[in-house]
Amino acid sequence: MDKLVAGNWKMNGGLASNRLLLDAFTPVSGVDMLVCVPYPYLSQAQKRTPSIALGAQDVSEFPAGAYTGEVSAAMLRDFDCTFVIVGHSERRALFHEDNATVARKAAAALAAGVTPIVCVGETLAERDAGRVMDVIGAQLSAVLEVLGVAAMARIVLAYEPVWAIGAGRSASAEQVAGVHGAIRAWLATRGVDAGTLRILYGGSVKPQNAAELFAIQHVDGALVGGASLVADDFMAICRAAAHR
Ligand code: 13P
């Protein structure tokens, strides 16, 4: 299975700078590439990146109706989005999304044919307290409860330790290996046929550490923030993931 390298632009960009960035992205064989752009730029990215998959950074849990400001999964499909990030730690912390809400968003995405990239991960305080898999287990349980075992196998997971996001320093190879292995085991214990379920790592992925991270067992790709805004860096990370 090829690795998936996803860029999460977060709330960055503009028409002019996006054009330069998108034009510099070229497909790399042996890796699946994805850009998750802010909603207003979906149309721009759709037209300019036909060979790279397109995604969004959030989605409504509701299918349609009187929900001012929300964007439905069906709307994302209209712009050829095949993926959507749900439950990013910034949404959990800043916009008060709880585990149940994240789970309903994942279900809404799947129902519309959009693959949710469900983010999980612990804070530094939770790690220091030895609660990493308690926290991640609760995040995963909520999703499993709503989706069921069969649909759970159709999502993408992203392990993003909150303390490594935008920190300049990723989690260590040992820490990443430990959590990715524990997530795989967690899924297997609950009967999820996770053979093709990809677990991405996110948190300060850069060209300098990408090869080391992609060499870790159960790391099936990356969710890249800051470095996805620099064309050369994103391309270098994609090349590091190719044919691994
Ligand atoms: P950075 O790569 O900037 O640390 O961000 C990671 C992230 O949050 C991706 O979703």
Side-chain angles (χ1 to χ4, degrees), residues 17-71:
S17 61
N18 297 349
R19 189 176 312 125
L20 294 174
L21 195 51
L22 293 167
D23 286 351
F25 292 161
T26 48
V28 176
S29 101
V31 57
D32 293 332
M33 294 166 65
L34 165 67
V35 282
C36 297
V37 306
Y39 293 138
Y41 302 127
L42 285 173
S43 171
Q44 182 191 25
Q46 178 194 26
K47 292 189 190 96
R48 297 188 92 91
T49 61
S51 52
I52 297 173
L54 181 60
Q57 301 168 16
D58 187 24
V59 67
S60 178
E61 65 185 273
F62 305 109
Y67 302 103
T68 301
E70 290 284 274
V71 172

Tab-separated table of all heavy atoms in Angstrom, residues 17-71:
chain	number	residue	atom	x	y	z
A	17	SER	N	-0.876	33.258	-3.684
A	17	SER	CA	0.136	32.341	-3.139
A	17	SER	C	-0.253	30.880	-3.374
A	17	SER	O	0.598	30.031	-3.623
A	17	SER	CB	0.366	32.609	-1.650
A	17	SER	OG	-0.820	32.408	-0.925
A	18	ASN	N	-1.549	30.592	-3.347
A	18	ASN	CA	-1.984	29.211	-3.624
A	18	ASN	C	-1.580	28.790	-5.031
A	18	ASN	O	-1.191	27.640	-5.256
A	18	ASN	CB	-3.507	29.063	-3.550
A	18	ASN	CG	-4.075	29.354	-2.183
A	18	ASN	OD1	-3.339	29.473	-1.221
A	18	ASN	ND2	-5.382	29.486	-2.105
A	19	ARG	N	-1.724	29.733	-5.962
A	19	ARG	CA	-1.428	29.400	-7.356
A	19	ARG	C	0.021	28.946	-7.479
A	19	ARG	O	0.333	27.930	-8.098
A	19	ARG	CB	-1.706	30.618	-8.249
A	19	ARG	CG	-1.627	30.291	-9.741
A	19	ARG	CD	-2.004	31.495	-10.605
A	19	ARG	NE	-3.237	32.126	-10.143
A	19	ARG	CZ	-3.368	33.422	-9.829
A	19	ARG	NH1	-2.339	34.241	-9.939
A	19	ARG	NH2	-4.514	33.903	-9.430
A	20	LEU	N	0.923	29.693	-6.862
A	20	LEU	CA	2.344	29.346	-6.924
A	20	LEU	C	2.600	27.975	-6.296
A	20	LEU	O	3.321	27.140	-6.833
A	20	LEU	CB	3.178	30.402	-6.189
A	20	LEU	CG	3.185	31.803	-6.804
A	20	LEU	CD1	3.924	32.778	-5.894
A	20	LEU	CD2	3.834	31.769	-8.190
A	21	LEU	N	1.966	27.768	-5.143
A	21	LEU	CA	2.177	26.514	-4.413
A	21	LEU	C	1.619	25.320	-5.210
A	21	LEU	O	2.310	24.321	-5.429
A	21	LEU	CB	1.472	26.636	-3.057
A	21	LEU	CG	1.780	25.661	-1.960
A	21	LEU	CD1	3.272	25.536	-1.710
A	21	LEU	CD2	1.075	26.114	-0.661
A	22	LEU	N	0.399	25.464	-5.670
A	22	LEU	CA	-0.250	24.348	-6.372
A	22	LEU	C	0.473	24.023	-7.672
A	22	LEU	O	0.610	22.861	-8.049
A	22	LEU	CB	-1.718	24.682	-6.649
A	22	LEU	CG	-2.607	24.789	-5.396
A	22	LEU	CD1	-3.949	25.424	-5.731
A	22	LEU	CD2	-2.822	23.422	-4.757
A	23	ASP	N	0.960	25.061	-8.346
A	23	ASP	CA	1.664	24.824	-9.615
A	23	ASP	C	2.988	24.096	-9.392
A	23	ASP	O	3.518	23.459	-10.302
A	23	ASP	CB	1.906	26.135	-10.364
A	23	ASP	CG	0.621	26.669	-10.983
A	23	ASP	OD1	-0.382	25.928	-10.966
A	23	ASP	OD2	0.613	27.818	-11.464
A	24	ALA	N	3.532	24.217	-8.179
A	24	ALA	CA	4.821	23.564	-7.895
A	24	ALA	C	4.653	22.109	-7.459
A	24	ALA	O	5.637	21.378	-7.348
A	24	ALA	CB	5.557	24.341	-6.806
A	25	PHE	N	3.404	21.689	-7.197
A	25	PHE	CA	3.172	20.295	-6.797
A	25	PHE	C	3.065	19.422	-8.033
A	25	PHE	O	2.192	19.626	-8.873
A	25	PHE	CB	1.874	20.165	-5.985
A	25	PHE	CG	1.907	20.811	-4.635
A	25	PHE	CD1	0.733	21.116	-3.978
A	25	PHE	CD2	3.110	21.111	-4.008
A	25	PHE	CE1	0.743	21.708	-2.719
A	25	PHE	CE2	3.136	21.707	-2.756
A	25	PHE	CZ	1.953	22.011	-2.112
A	26	THR	N	3.944	18.454	-8.116
A	26	THR	CA	3.878	17.522	-9.240
A	26	THR	C	3.732	16.117	-8.664
A	26	THR	O	4.247	15.827	-7.573
A	26	THR	CB	5.157	17.585	-10.089
A	26	THR	OG1	6.289	17.527	-9.215
A	26	THR	CG2	5.225	18.876	-10.886
A	27	PRO	N	3.030	15.248	-9.356
A	27	PRO	CA	2.818	13.908	-8.812
A	27	PRO	C	4.126	13.140	-8.650
A	27	PRO	O	5.044	13.304	-9.446
A	27	PRO	CB	1.911	13.231	-9.834
A	27	PRO	CG	1.736	14.161	-10.956
A	27	PRO	CD	2.381	15.456	-10.641
A	28	VAL	N	4.211	12.356	-7.596
A	28	VAL	CA	5.382	11.514	-7.342
A	28	VAL	C	4.880	10.077	-7.389
A	28	VAL	O	3.907	9.749	-6.712
A	28	VAL	CB	5.971	11.811	-5.945
A	28	VAL	CG1	7.129	10.862	-5.630
A	28	VAL	CG2	6.420	13.264	-5.846
A	29	SER	N	5.526	9.231	-8.175
A	29	SER	CA	5.019	7.858	-8.275
A	29	SER	C	5.333	7.086	-6.998
A	29	SER	O	6.351	7.322	-6.343
A	29	SER	CB	5.573	7.171	-9.521
A	29	SER	OG	6.626	6.338	-9.198
A	30	GLY	N	4.419	6.213	-6.616
A	30	GLY	CA	4.625	5.397	-5.423
A	30	GLY	C	4.209	6.082	-4.140
A	30	GLY	O	4.539	5.617	-3.047
A	31	VAL	N	3.459	7.180	-4.254
A	31	VAL	CA	2.939	7.848	-3.058
A	31	VAL	C	1.609	8.506	-3.428
A	31	VAL	O	1.440	8.983	-4.558
A	31	VAL	CB	3.947	8.884	-2.495
A	31	VAL	CG1	4.321	9.924	-3.497
A	31	VAL	CG2	3.420	9.541	-1.237
A	32	ASP	N	0.666	8.479	-2.506
A	32	ASP	CA	-0.599	9.183	-2.723
A	32	ASP	C	-0.482	10.559	-2.081
A	32	ASP	O	-0.178	10.663	-0.893
A	32	ASP	CB	-1.760	8.408	-2.087
A	32	ASP	CG	-2.018	7.087	-2.795
A	32	ASP	OD1	-1.724	6.999	-4.006
A	32	ASP	OD2	-2.491	6.145	-2.144
A	33	MET	N	-0.708	11.572	-2.882
A	33	MET	CA	-0.566	12.953	-2.399
A	33	MET	C	-1.944	13.604	-2.254
A	33	MET	O	-2.838	13.354	-3.050
A	33	MET	CB	0.297	13.765	-3.379
A	33	MET	CG	1.728	13.281	-3.441
A	33	MET	SD	2.633	13.943	-4.852
A	33	MET	CE	2.668	15.688	-4.483
A	34	LEU	N	-2.050	14.433	-1.240
A	34	LEU	CA	-3.339	15.059	-0.918
A	34	LEU	C	-3.085	16.461	-0.385
A	34	LEU	O	-2.157	16.661	0.411
A	34	LEU	CB	-4.035	14.198	0.160
A	34	LEU	CG	-5.209	14.787	0.933
A	34	LEU	CD1	-6.412	14.995	0.010
A	34	LEU	CD2	-5.609	13.847	2.084
A	35	VAL	N	-3.903	17.423	-0.806
A	35	VAL	CA	-3.858	18.744	-0.169
A	35	VAL	C	-5.222	19.050	0.430
A	35	VAL	O	-6.254	18.891	-0.226
A	35	VAL	CB	-3.471	19.905	-1.133
A	35	VAL	CG1	-1.991	19.942	-1.390
A	35	VAL	CG2	-4.260	19.859	-2.425
A	36	CYS	N	-5.210	19.476	1.684
A	36	CYS	CA	-6.435	19.853	2.384
A	36	CYS	C	-6.424	21.363	2.551
A	36	CYS	O	-5.663	21.901	3.363
A	36	CYS	CB	-6.519	19.146	3.734
A	36	CYS	SG	-6.613	17.346	3.574
A	37	VAL	N	-7.247	22.024	1.761
A	37	VAL	CA	-7.197	23.486	1.667
A	37	VAL	C	-8.403	24.092	2.377
A	37	VAL	O	-9.392	23.403	2.624
A	37	VAL	CB	-7.159	23.923	0.171
A	37	VAL	CG1	-6.015	23.217	-0.570
A	37	VAL	CG2	-8.479	23.659	-0.531
A	38	PRO	N	-8.342	25.385	2.690
A	38	PRO	CA	-9.521	26.052	3.251
A	38	PRO	C	-10.685	26.008	2.249
A	38	PRO	O	-10.466	26.046	1.033
A	38	PRO	CB	-9.048	27.497	3.471
A	38	PRO	CG	-7.549	27.392	3.568
A	38	PRO	CD	-7.174	26.293	2.628
A	39	TYR	N	-11.906	25.951	2.756
A	39	TYR	CA	-13.090	25.814	1.893
A	39	TYR	C	-13.107	26.752	0.673
A	39	TYR	O	-13.406	26.301	-0.426
A	39	TYR	CB	-14.374	26.075	2.689
A	39	TYR	CG	-14.723	25.072	3.764
A	39	TYR	CD1	-15.193	25.514	5.001
A	39	TYR	CD2	-14.643	23.701	3.541
A	39	TYR	CE1	-15.570	24.625	5.992
A	39	TYR	CE2	-15.012	22.795	4.529
A	39	TYR	CZ	-15.473	23.264	5.760
A	39	TYR	OH	-15.848	22.376	6.735
A	40	PRO	N	-12.816	28.061	0.871
A	40	PRO	CA	-12.998	28.959	-0.290
A	40	PRO	C	-12.079	28.625	-1.460
A	40	PRO	O	-12.339	29.051	-2.584
A	40	PRO	CB	-12.659	30.352	0.259
A	40	PRO	CG	-12.759	30.222	1.722
A	40	PRO	CD	-12.400	28.798	2.058
A	41	TYR	N	-11.029	27.862	-1.187
A	41	TYR	CA	-10.047	27.585	-2.246
A	41	TYR	C	-10.207	26.193	-2.851
A	41	TYR	O	-9.375	25.769	-3.656
A	41	TYR	CB	-8.625	27.778	-1.704
A	41	TYR	CG	-8.404	29.169	-1.165
A	41	TYR	CD1	-7.909	29.370	0.120
A	41	TYR	CD2	-8.704	30.285	-1.932
A	41	TYR	CE1	-7.723	30.646	0.625
A	41	TYR	CE2	-8.534	31.576	-1.437
A	41	TYR	CZ	-8.042	31.740	-0.150
A	41	TYR	OH	-7.866	33.013	0.336
A	42	LEU	N	-11.267	25.499	-2.493
A	42	LEU	CA	-11.471	24.159	-3.052
A	42	LEU	C	-11.569	24.210	-4.571
A	42	LEU	O	-10.975	23.389	-5.275
A	42	LEU	CB	-12.745	23.527	-2.468
A	42	LEU	CG	-12.644	23.026	-1.033
A	42	LEU	CD1	-14.021	22.593	-0.519
A	42	LEU	CD2	-11.658	21.861	-0.925
A	43	SER	N	-12.296	25.176	-5.064
A	43	SER	CA	-12.494	25.272	-6.517
A	43	SER	C	-11.168	25.545	-7.221
A	43	SER	O	-10.851	24.928	-8.236
A	43	SER	CB	-13.517	26.361	-6.813
A	43	SER	OG	-13.558	26.601	-8.182
A	44	GLN	N	-10.384	26.454	-6.655
A	44	GLN	CA	-9.068	26.766	-7.223
A	44	GLN	C	-8.179	25.523	-7.233
A	44	GLN	O	-7.540	25.207	-8.241
A	44	GLN	CB	-8.399	27.888	-6.409
A	44	GLN	CG	-7.047	28.297	-6.962
A	44	GLN	CD	-6.261	29.218	-6.014
A	44	GLN	OE1	-6.480	29.202	-4.798
A	44	GLN	NE2	-5.380	30.018	-6.586
A	45	ALA	N	-8.144	24.818	-6.128
A	45	ALA	CA	-7.282	23.638	-6.033
A	45	ALA	C	-7.800	22.515	-6.933
A	45	ALA	O	-7.024	21.773	-7.529
A	45	ALA	CB	-7.207	23.170	-4.583
A	46	GLN	N	-9.120	22.408	-7.022
A	46	GLN	CA	-9.731	21.375	-7.877
A	46	GLN	C	-9.266	21.544	-9.322
A	46	GLN	O	-8.940	20.578	-10.003
A	46	GLN	CB	-11.250	21.505	-7.795
A	46	GLN	CG	-12.034	20.538	-8.661
A	46	GLN	CD	-13.494	20.961	-8.771
A	46	GLN	OE1	-13.835	22.139	-8.638
A	46	GLN	NE2	-14.358	19.980	-8.987
A	47	LYS	N	-9.199	22.793	-9.771
A	47	LYS	CA	-8.819	23.049	-11.174
A	47	LYS	C	-7.322	22.867	-11.397
A	47	LYS	O	-6.892	22.532	-12.486
A	47	LYS	CB	-9.213	24.477	-11.563
A	47	LYS	CG	-10.714	24.677	-11.630
A	47	LYS	CD	-11.069	26.028	-12.221
A	47	LYS	CE	-12.567	26.313	-12.054
A	47	LYS	NZ	-12.861	27.117	-10.865
A	48	ARG	N	-6.529	23.097	-10.353
A	48	ARG	CA	-5.079	23.133	-10.576
A	48	ARG	C	-4.333	21.878	-10.161
A	48	ARG	O	-3.145	21.754	-10.446
A	48	ARG	CB	-4.482	24.337	-9.830
A	48	ARG	CG	-5.013	25.657	-10.346
A	48	ARG	CD	-4.278	26.822	-9.748
A	48	ARG	NE	-3.159	27.212	-10.576
A	48	ARG	CZ	-3.220	28.122	-11.541
A	48	ARG	NH1	-4.345	28.713	-11.805
A	48	ARG	NH2	-2.148	28.419	-12.241
A	49	THR	N	-4.987	20.984	-9.449
A	49	THR	CA	-4.255	19.788	-8.989
A	49	THR	C	-4.965	18.503	-9.387
A	49	THR	O	-5.290	17.679	-8.532
A	49	THR	CB	-4.080	19.786	-7.452
A	49	THR	OG1	-5.389	19.770	-6.872
A	49	THR	CG2	-3.313	20.955	-6.938
A	50	PRO	N	-5.193	18.307	-10.681
A	50	PRO	CA	-5.953	17.116	-11.074
A	50	PRO	C	-5.271	15.807	-10.683
A	50	PRO	O	-5.938	14.792	-10.501
A	50	PRO	CB	-6.068	17.248	-12.599
A	50	PRO	CG	-5.006	18.208	-12.993
A	50	PRO	CD	-4.749	19.094	-11.831
A	51	SER	N	-3.957	15.817	-10.532
A	51	SER	CA	-3.269	14.548	-10.236
A	51	SER	C	-3.003	14.362	-8.745
A	51	SER	O	-2.435	13.356	-8.337
A	51	SER	CB	-1.960	14.490	-11.003
A	51	SER	OG	-1.231	15.660	-10.762
A	52	ILE	N	-3.399	15.337	-7.952
A	52	ILE	CA	-3.213	15.229	-6.505
A	52	ILE	C	-4.598	15.287	-5.864
A	52	ILE	O	-5.432	16.100	-6.259
A	52	ILE	CB	-2.317	16.385	-5.997
A	52	ILE	CG1	-0.926	16.260	-6.622
A	52	ILE	CG2	-2.240	16.415	-4.486
A	52	ILE	CD1	-0.019	17.425	-6.339
A	53	ALA	N	-4.832	14.399	-4.906
A	53	ALA	CA	-6.167	14.355	-4.306
A	53	ALA	C	-6.435	15.632	-3.511
A	53	ALA	O	-5.520	16.307	-3.034
A	53	ALA	CB	-6.280	13.130	-3.405
A	54	LEU	N	-7.721	15.927	-3.401
A	54	LEU	CA	-8.142	17.165	-2.750
A	54	LEU	C	-8.978	16.837	-1.515
A	54	LEU	O	-9.813	15.924	-1.541
A	54	LEU	CB	-8.961	17.982	-3.757
A	54	LEU	CG	-9.496	19.334	-3.309
A	54	LEU	CD1	-8.357	20.267	-2.897
A	54	LEU	CD2	-10.312	19.966	-4.433
A	55	GLY	N	-8.735	17.604	-0.461
A	55	GLY	CA	-9.499	17.388	0.762
A	55	GLY	C	-9.808	18.692	1.467
A	55	GLY	O	-9.272	19.755	1.111
A	56	ALA	N	-10.675	18.601	2.482
A	56	ALA	CA	-11.016	19.748	3.313
A	56	ALA	C	-10.523	19.482	4.732
A	56	ALA	O	-9.993	18.400	5.026
A	56	ALA	CB	-12.523	19.979	3.288
A	57	GLN	N	-10.702	20.464	5.592
A	57	GLN	CA	-10.125	20.383	6.942
A	57	GLN	C	-11.172	20.167	8.026
A	57	GLN	O	-10.840	20.041	9.202
A	57	GLN	CB	-9.353	21.676	7.237
A	57	GLN	CG	-8.241	21.940	6.256
A	57	GLN	CD	-7.680	23.348	6.397
A	57	GLN	OE1	-7.907	24.027	7.392
A	57	GLN	NE2	-6.942	23.788	5.396
A	58	ASP	N	-12.432	20.163	7.611
A	58	ASP	CA	-13.528	19.973	8.555
A	58	ASP	C	-14.781	19.723	7.727
A	58	ASP	O	-14.787	19.985	6.515
A	58	ASP	CB	-13.702	21.240	9.424
A	58	ASP	CG	-14.711	21.053	10.550
A	58	ASP	OD1	-14.946	19.894	10.961
A	58	ASP	OD2	-15.269	22.068	11.017
A	59	VAL	N	-15.820	19.234	8.369
A	59	VAL	CA	-17.090	18.998	7.673
A	59	VAL	C	-18.198	19.030	8.710
A	59	VAL	O	-17.965	18.730	9.888
A	59	VAL	CB	-17.058	17.638	6.926
A	59	VAL	CG1	-16.997	16.458	7.897
A	59	VAL	CG2	-18.231	17.495	5.973
A	60	SER	N	-19.380	19.381	8.259
A	60	SER	CA	-20.521	19.368	9.173
A	60	SER	C	-20.937	17.940	9.505
A	60	SER	O	-20.794	17.043	8.677
A	60	SER	CB	-21.706	20.091	8.533
A	60	SER	OG	-22.820	20.023	9.403
A	61	GLU	N	-21.464	17.766	10.688
A	61	GLU	CA	-22.019	16.459	11.035
A	61	GLU	C	-23.409	16.282	10.424
A	61	GLU	O	-23.950	15.178	10.407
A	61	GLU	CB	-22.097	16.295	12.554
A	61	GLU	CG	-23.043	17.242	13.231
A	61	GLU	CD	-22.991	17.123	14.755
A	61	GLU	OE1	-23.714	16.281	15.302
A	61	GLU	OE2	-22.224	17.884	15.384
A	62	PHE	N	-23.993	17.381	9.915
A	62	PHE	CA	-25.367	17.338	9.381
A	62	PHE	C	-25.349	17.264	7.858
A	62	PHE	O	-24.467	17.826	7.212
A	62	PHE	CB	-26.136	18.590	9.826
A	62	PHE	CG	-26.135	18.782	11.315
A	62	PHE	CD1	-25.403	19.810	11.896
A	62	PHE	CD2	-26.853	17.916	12.135
A	62	PHE	CE1	-25.390	19.977	13.275
A	62	PHE	CE2	-26.836	18.081	13.516
A	62	PHE	CZ	-26.111	19.105	14.089
A	63	PRO	N	-26.344	16.621	7.263
A	63	PRO	CA	-26.327	16.467	5.801
A	63	PRO	C	-26.742	17.732	5.043
A	63	PRO	O	-26.240	17.984	3.943
A	63	PRO	CB	-27.317	15.329	5.542
A	63	PRO	CG	-28.180	15.247	6.749
A	63	PRO	CD	-27.398	15.802	7.902
A	64	ALA	N	-27.687	18.501	5.575
A	64	ALA	CA	-28.172	19.708	4.890
A	64	ALA	C	-29.127	20.426	5.828
A	64	ALA	O	-29.582	19.844	6.814
A	64	ALA	CB	-28.919	19.340	3.607
A	65	GLY	N	-29.411	21.671	5.514
A	65	GLY	CA	-30.458	22.359	6.268
A	65	GLY	C	-30.013	23.634	6.932
A	65	GLY	O	-29.033	24.264	6.524
A	66	ALA	N	-30.742	24.036	7.961
A	66	ALA	CA	-30.562	25.327	8.613
A	66	ALA	C	-29.408	25.264	9.618
A	66	ALA	O	-29.624	25.166	10.830
A	66	ALA	CB	-31.869	25.738	9.299
A	67	TYR	N	-28.205	25.263	9.090
A	67	TYR	CA	-26.996	25.211	9.923
A	67	TYR	C	-26.026	26.272	9.411
A	67	TYR	O	-25.030	25.959	8.735
A	67	TYR	CB	-26.359	23.812	9.861
A	67	TYR	CG	-27.291	22.712	10.303
A	67	TYR	CD1	-27.914	21.899	9.371
A	67	TYR	CD2	-27.571	22.531	11.659
A	67	TYR	CE1	-28.789	20.907	9.773
A	67	TYR	CE2	-28.447	21.539	12.063
A	67	TYR	CZ	-29.059	20.734	11.120
A	67	TYR	OH	-29.932	19.757	11.533
A	68	THR	N	-26.319	27.503	9.681
A	68	THR	CA	-25.554	28.632	9.141
A	68	THR	C	-24.060	28.475	9.364
A	68	THR	O	-23.616	28.209	10.487
A	68	THR	CB	-26.056	29.946	9.792
A	68	THR	OG1	-27.443	30.087	9.515
A	68	THR	CG2	-25.302	31.152	9.239
A	69	GLY	N	-23.332	28.617	8.282
A	69	GLY	CA	-21.872	28.566	8.363
A	69	GLY	C	-21.285	27.186	8.170
A	69	GLY	O	-20.074	27.041	8.017
A	70	GLU	N	-22.116	26.164	8.158
A	70	GLU	CA	-21.613	24.793	8.025
A	70	GLU	C	-21.427	24.413	6.552
A	70	GLU	O	-22.061	24.985	5.658
A	70	GLU	CB	-22.596	23.812	8.672
A	70	GLU	CG	-22.649	23.912	10.181
A	70	GLU	CD	-21.444	23.255	10.831
A	70	GLU	OE1	-21.466	22.052	11.065
A	70	GLU	OE2	-20.456	23.974	11.096
A	71	VAL	N	-20.592	23.426	6.329
A	71	VAL	CA	-20.345	22.899	4.984
A	71	VAL	C	-20.534	21.388	5.034
A	71	VAL	O	-19.918	20.703	5.865
A	71	VAL	CB	-18.909	23.258	4.515
A	71	VAL	CG1	-18.571	22.556	3.209
A	71	VAL	CG2	-18.768	24.776	4.361
